[in-house]
Amino acid sequence: MKPIKVRVPREEAPDFADDLTAWSSATSVDPSPMVVGDAGTAGNTSSPIRYQANVSQSFFEQVPEWRMYVEQ
């Protein structure tokens, strides 16, 4: 699986983490989520959180709302 990068609004970050955990439990795949820092945004509490995770298409089939945050 190729890692994907998503920019998740800070207020939705706990939901993203919960959905990754649920998907991982259902598929037995470790998404290995990691926060990827952007220079200059560490102190900005309104900036989205940038994650990198190993997920397959089935993650977006289970929780399609996260697809709109994927970086191209």
Side-chain angles (χ1 to χ4, degrees), residues 3-18 20 31-38 47-55 59-60 66 69-71:
I4 57 127
K5 290 182 180 157
V6 294
R7 286 187 186 269
V8 179
R10 287 187 183 271
E11 62 274 5
E12 295 183 33
D15 295 333
F16 180 70
D18 289 346
L20 274 178
S32 302
M34 160 171 52
V35 174
V36 181
D38 287 333
S47 294
I49 298 175
R50 188 173 180 219
Y51 287 94
Q52 178 175 305
N54 299 313
V55 297
F59 174 73
F60 296 108
W66 297 117
Y69 299 112
V70 173
E71 292 184 342

